[in-house]
Amino acid sequence: MNDHQDLNAYRWQILASRTRNPQYPFCYAVVTTGIVCRPGCPSRLPNPENVRFFDNCQDALKAGYRPCKRCHPLDDNKEPSELVVRVCRQIERDPDQANLNTLASVLGYTPAHLQKTFRQQIGITPFDYARALRQQRIYRELGHSRSNTDALLQAGYQSSSQFYTEFKQFSSLPPGSHRQSGKGEILTFAVADTTLGALVVAASDKGLCWISLGDDPHAQVEELQRHFARAEFCPPDEAFNQWVSQVTGLVEAPGERLSIPLDIRGTVFQRQVWEALRKIPMGSTMDYQALADKIGKPGGARAVASACAANVLAVAIPCHRIVRRDGSLSGYRWGVERKADLLAREKGQGMGN
Ligand SMILES: [Zn+2]
């Protein structure tokens, strides 16, 4: 790897973690849209292969990219106008009642002018801003409410259907699962390449909490962010990069011992299953029923299967060592071909020893 690739890898981590104002500023252009953005732009995370990095926005413009209308990469220190600040405050006071016509008449402007000015300076419409505030409020309420109904009533929703409609727009998880999903946490994460595809690793201050393998690092990072929807993500430091290389090593040689703490989150039953998985020796397999017997739940083969499927720590919790009774591979969250590959690697390792 040369310095240039290192720099771009570093910039990609910053970009994917949605960090604003990084220590070493840069711009990124998206080939497919022809637009240049600054880090922290709220637009969709682009596919890494479509991203071109520039030291500054002017260079990107010279290369033919247009500045993004959402993150305004050109005007660094431009503050929103007094009018726009007033509209923001008004919406923040009561996002449920934020209505373009009302706001415009209160402030003495036409709705069209207000909409255009607001969008130019903030990057989104007043309506989107109000909706974003309502969604933020839902997240806050879900953090300390006992039920979804409490949460949505506190968030000012008239009906639960309105709540679910808006919720679905920014989440693929059912509302209940957000209450514990990384609230107030800071997770470090990184993307790496392995011979089994893209690796996404994340850790809390307690240890590794996410390892995924796949073909699309972009989709994998989004899945991670959805899973820990309330967490903040930050790019890796030197120490974390060493963890990432250990995990990469584990993927390449899945029988190796991992000397990194795991931050395992799940129900009592799931943790029991995962603990049992970690005791299956490298190179051997077990079927669902045998594992259910082992943890003293002979009727629980199906529950064991769903606990295996809920594992979010690929390879570190070796759910790839679970197969059907007839020896066929059954499913694998990260692709059944990868499962076959991991098992073959373990066999190879065993013979080498
Ligand atoms: Zn942008």
Side-chain angles (χ1 to χ4, degrees):
M1 225 192 213
N2 61 36
D3 286 353
H4 186 65
Q5 280 170 322
D6 271 349
L7 177 63
N8 283 350
Y10 169 79
R11 285 171 165 177
W12 168 254
Q13 307 281 8
I14 302 266
L15 166 57
S17 67
R18 303 287 195 184
T19 306
R20 276 185 215 185
N21 308 319
Q23 200 179 352
Y24 306 104
F26 62 91
C27 281
Y28 67 95
V30 183
V31 180
T32 41
T33 59
I35 285 183
V36 55
C37 291
R38 68 169 82 195
C41 174
S43 60
R44 193 164 183 273
L45 191 64
N47 269 319
E49 64 266 27
N50 297 330
V51 170
R52 300 290 175 271
F53 291 105
F54 293 91
D55 293 339
N56 59 64
C57 188
Q58 280 68 28
D59 288 349
L61 296 185
K62 281 180 211 149
Y65 293 99
R66 283 168 291 129
C68 171
K69 290 199 170 112
R70 298 184 70 180
C71 64
H72 307 284
L74 273 174
D75 33 10
D76 269 327
N77 302 309
K78 203 167 163 206
E79 293 287 323
S81 68
E82 198 196 332
L83 167 67
V84 168
V85 170
R86 277 170 71 193
V87 176
C88 286
R89 294 298 97 83
Q90 187 82 23
I91 297 172
E92 286 153 12
R93 253 193 310 266
D94 195 355
D96 298 315
Q97 301 302 323
N99 170 300
L100 186 63
N101 292 330
T102 321
L103 287 168
S105 70
V106 166
L107 297 163
Y109 291 91
T110 66
H113 175 77
L114 189 62
Q115 174 98 336
K116 190 169 161 237
T117 316
F118 194 93
R119 208 216 292 258
Q120 268 170 0
Q121 295 181 28
I122 304 293
I124 56 177
T125 64
F127 175 82
D128 285 340
Y129 187 57
R131 187 171 63 191
L133 289 175
R134 287 203 300 272
Q135 289 168 348
Q136 262 182 31
R137 193 171 48 180
I138 297 172
Y139 273 128
R140 278 200 309 276
E141 298 301 342
L142 287 179
H144 45 75
S145 290
R146 253 168 306 161
S147 74
N148 292 329
T149 320
D150 280 354
L152 70 95
L153 289 178
Q154 283 170 25
Y157 278 83
Q158 310 292 325
S159 73
S160 54
S161 63
Q162 186 194 359
F163 170 78
Y164 281 100
T165 309
E166 294 207 352
F167 199 92
K168 270 193 232 133
Q169 287 171 354
F170 67 106
S171 161
S172 65
L173 292 173
S177 50
H178 277 263
R179 263 176 277 140
Q180 295 303 325
S181 51
K183 183 191 163 205
E185 268 187 298
I186 296 173
L187 302 180
T188 307
F189 84 103
V191 181
D193 264 329
T194 74
T195 54
L196 282 187
L199 173 78
V200 173
V201 183
S204 68
D205 53 359
K206 296 190 198 70
L208 294 176
C209 58
W210 182 272
I211 301 174
S212 82
L213 288 166
D215 299 318
D216 183 354
H218 165 76
Q220 287 167 254
V221 169
E222 285 194 339
E223 190 194 9
L224 166 69
Q225 289 173 327
R226 278 200 306 273
H227 190 85
F228 298 100
R230 296 166 59 78
E232 269 184 59
F233 291 89
C234 68
D237 55 16
E238 201 45 52
F240 188 77
N241 279 331
Q242 283 172 16
W243 282 15
V244 175
S245 21
Q246 260 206 61
V247 177
T248 310
L250 186 70
V251 172
E252 305 304 341
E256 297 290 323
R257 279 201 71 79
L258 192 65
S259 61
I260 307 171
L262 300 182
D263 178 1
I264 298 174
R265 305 163 187 217
T267 64
V268 173
F269 178 75
Q270 284 172 334
R271 298 166 69 104
Q272 238 181 324
V273 171
W274 297 338
E275 206 43 59
L277 287 173
R278 295 177 75 189
K279 291 193 182 122
I280 304 175
M282 193 269 283
S284 50
T285 57
M286 190 180 266
D287 67 66
Y288 297 106
Q289 185 59 55
L291 196 133
D293 291 342
K294 194 156 192 110
I295 60 171
K297 300 259 170 20
R302 189 166 295 196
V304 163
S306 36
C308 291
N311 175 29
V312 295
L313 284 159
V315 194
I317 294 178
C319 62
H320 58 274
R321 291 180 194 152
I322 285 284
V323 297
R324 288 208 193 95
R325 182 168 282 187
D326 65 7
S328 64
L329 288 185
S330 77
Y332 189 55
R333 182 174 185 147
W334 301 283
V336 77
E337 277 168 21
R338 281 193 187 91
K339 183 175 185 171
D341 216 323
L342 285 167
L343 290 172
R345 286 177 188 202
E346 291 194 0
K347 283 230 165 67
Q349 259 179 292
M351 277 184 274
N353 289 341

